[in-house]
């Protein structure tokens, strides 16, 4: 079960992974073995990806204790990153920051390049949330270059989404859209439905900012459907931006029209959702007065 953790994560088979790891852990003793530490870490990650934060944190802390008892600094660093993500997802970036910094320091010390990428990504996200755009860009660009040098398509896809969100926050919708589409293409190639949902959701935020409220609603609906398929959730750090964008789109269209467009997006088959994400009808002249997005 532990050997399949990365497969379950990359393909977003979250519920299946949690089921097998739960059975494996229930049938094992509590000794600090390398295999148990890895299984605990994987079970923690999958729980967090589904928004189940209490068991995520409990399993993560148990994993961290096991890795430290084993003297496994790389495992400890990866778990510190996971605990930082949980703190951030639960709306506590101040607790997340030192954990993410510790994780990055350990990954650099050990030369664990993938660990460096994920820690840089999280620190970049925290910097963006704090309004530190220049620092966020520096961290995320380093992560992108490292992912490219390693040929790590999964890491590159996630970094592109992060950079797209940063570009959008800075008002650069064109760059944000290009990065979101690059991310979507990479996630599609890997088969990561949860990652694809993040890319489509970002394209919805971009459309709303450009005044294309109907397109935004459809993309939000498509992203919701993809998250349901993957069993993933929109974490709290992104909920405020989504609620604000959805409220503006709803006001522009009227609640009934917004709900209709959202439902249309949710009902799209995967290939049609991808076609909608890949299309670009161009910004409308005003909110609620836009050309139909081609799907």
């Amino acid at each position: 079960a532990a050997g399949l953790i990365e497969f379950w994560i990359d393909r977003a088979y979250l519920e299946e992974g949690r089921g097998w790891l739960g059975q494996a852990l229930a049938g094992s003793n509590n000794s600090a073995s390398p295999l148990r530490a890895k299984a605990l870490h994987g079970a923690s990650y999958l729980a967090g990806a589904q928004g189940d934060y209490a068991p995520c944190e409990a399993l993560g802390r148990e994993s961290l204790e096991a890795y430290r008892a084993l003297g496994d600094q790389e495992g400890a660093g990866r778990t510190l990153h996971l605990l930082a993500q949980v703190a951030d997802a639960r709306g506590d970036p101040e607790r997340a920051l030192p954990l993410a910094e510790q994780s990055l320091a350990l990954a650099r010390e050990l030369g664990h390049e993938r660990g460096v990428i994920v820690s840089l990504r999280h620190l970049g996200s925290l910097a963006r949330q704090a309004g530190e755009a220049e620092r966020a860009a520096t961290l995320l660009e380093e992560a992108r270059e490292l992912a490219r040098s390693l040929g790590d398509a999964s890491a590159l896809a996630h970094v592109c989404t992060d950079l797209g969100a940063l570009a959008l926050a800075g008002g650069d919708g064109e760059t944000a859209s290009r990065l979101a589409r690059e991310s979507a293409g990479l996630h599609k190639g890997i088969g990561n439905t949860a990652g694809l949902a993040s890319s489509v959701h970002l394209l919805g935020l971009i459309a709303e900012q450009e005044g294309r409220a109907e397109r935004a609603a459809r993309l939000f609906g498509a992203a919701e459907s993809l998250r349901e398929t993957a069993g993933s959730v929109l974490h709290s750090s992104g909920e405020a931006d989504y609620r604000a964008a959805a409220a503006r789109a709803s006001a522009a269209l009227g609640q009934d029209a917004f709900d209709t467009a959202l439902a249309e997006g949710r009902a799209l088959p995967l290939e049609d959702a991808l076609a909608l994400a890949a299309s670009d009808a161009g910004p409308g002249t005003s909110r609620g007065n836009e050309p139909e997005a081609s799907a």
Side-chain angles (χ1 to χ4, degrees), residues 124-134 136-137 140 160-177 179-180 201-210 237-238 241 245 248:
S125 175
L126 289 169
R128 175 175 59 82
Q129 292 175 52
E132 300 171 358
E134 186 174 344
L140 292 173
C160 284
T161 304
D162 296 336
L163 283 166
L166 180 62
L168 180 62
D172 187 351
E174 182 178 350
T175 298
S177 183
L179 287 163
H201 179 81
L202 176 57
L203 285 163
L205 294 174
I206 294 165
E208 191 283 322
Q209 188 177 90
E210 292 176 339
S237 56
D241 287 342
R248 290 191 297 267

Side-chain angles (χ1 to χ4, degrees), residues 74-165:
E74 182 179 315
R78 286 189 290 110
T79 309
L80 283 166
H81 167 71
L82 178 56
L83 291 171
Q85 286 184 309
V86 178
D88 189 15
R90 300 183 94 168
D92 192 353
E94 291 184 358
R95 186 161 64 94
L97 182 60
L99 292 168
E101 289 173 336
Q102 290 176 56
S103 176
L104 177 60
L106 272 174
R108 289 197 191 281
E109 180 183 336
L110 297 168
H112 182 218
E113 292 173 314
R114 193 169 187 186
V116 170
I117 293 171
V118 296
S119 294
L120 286 169
R121 280 189 56 225
H122 193 199
L123 286 167
S125 175
L126 289 169
R128 175 175 59 82
Q129 292 175 52
E132 300 171 358
E134 186 174 344
R135 171 170 163 75
T138 298
L139 292 162
L140 292 173
E141 287 294 350
E142 182 183 350
R144 177 161 63 172
E145 290 308 308
L146 185 52
R148 282 176 172 164
S149 70
L150 294 176
D152 190 331
S154 177
L156 182 58
H158 288 298
V159 177
C160 284
T161 304
D162 296 336
L163 283 166

